[in-house]
Amino acid sequence: MNKRVIGTKRELEAADFIRKQGYVLLERNFRCRIGEIDLIARDGAYLCFIEVKFRASSSKGYPAEAITPTKIHRITRTAQFYMLMHQLPQDTPCRFDAVVILGEEFSLIKNAFGGI
């Protein structure tokens, strides 16, 4: 199985995982010229921009370690564009979460990094 197929499969599993955590999924794979956001969902009053990271094992590092400052900057800018495109008020409560998958173990990190 190639990386794209595995990534798509894991993102679908992550979407199911967050639904079970009480999130309402709004969008998968939001793309624009600035970047991409894997999942966008509501968690109560919060609009959540969610990065999904997968590692089959920890031999190449843990999934959360792959969320670099460059990636954070790109996700933050993409989230700002999403809000502008959907005419959401600037004071909309937002959060950047991550679903990290190590092997078959899923973890949710709320407020994984700062942003907007």
Side-chain angles (χ1 to χ4, degrees):
M1 212 180 300
N2 70 36
K3 284 185 177 186
R4 185 174 299 255
V5 171
I6 292 169
T8 299
K9 178 181 182 281
R10 292 304 183 163
E11 284 180 4
L12 287 170
E13 293 171 345
D16 287 339
F17 176 74
I18 65 165
R19 280 189 199 103
K20 290 175 184 170
Q21 305 299 314
Y23 286 65
V24 175
L25 185 64
L26 303 175
E27 205 158 333
R28 284 185 50 242
N29 296 318
F30 173 77
R31 285 186 172 92
C32 66
R33 64 181 185 80
I34 300 167
E36 177 193 356
I37 298 175
D38 296 326
L39 304 172
I40 301 173
R42 283 254 178 220
D43 181 30
Y46 284 91
L47 177 62
C48 300
F49 300 97
I50 305 165
E51 178 68 6
V52 178
K53 286 295 176 190
F54 166 73
R55 295 287 182 269
S57 73
S58 61
S59 65
K60 293 185 180 179
Y62 291 95
E65 294 172 338
I67 304 173
T68 63
T70 301
K71 184 75 170 169
I72 291 168
H73 179 72
R74 188 172 295 126
I75 292 168
T76 302
R77 292 205 45 223
T78 304
Q80 289 171 333
F81 180 78
Y82 177 88
M83 292 180 68
L84 182 67
M85 192 176 101
H86 288 84
Q87 300 178 339
L88 297 171
Q90 287 185 345
D91 61 350
T92 300
C94 295
R95 196 172 67 214
F96 294 90
D97 295 351
V99 173
V100 292
I101 309 164
L102 182 58
E104 295 301 319
E105 185 177 326
F106 288 70
S107 298
L108 173 63
I109 304 170
K110 290 186 177 189
N111 204 24
F113 53 89
I116 301 173

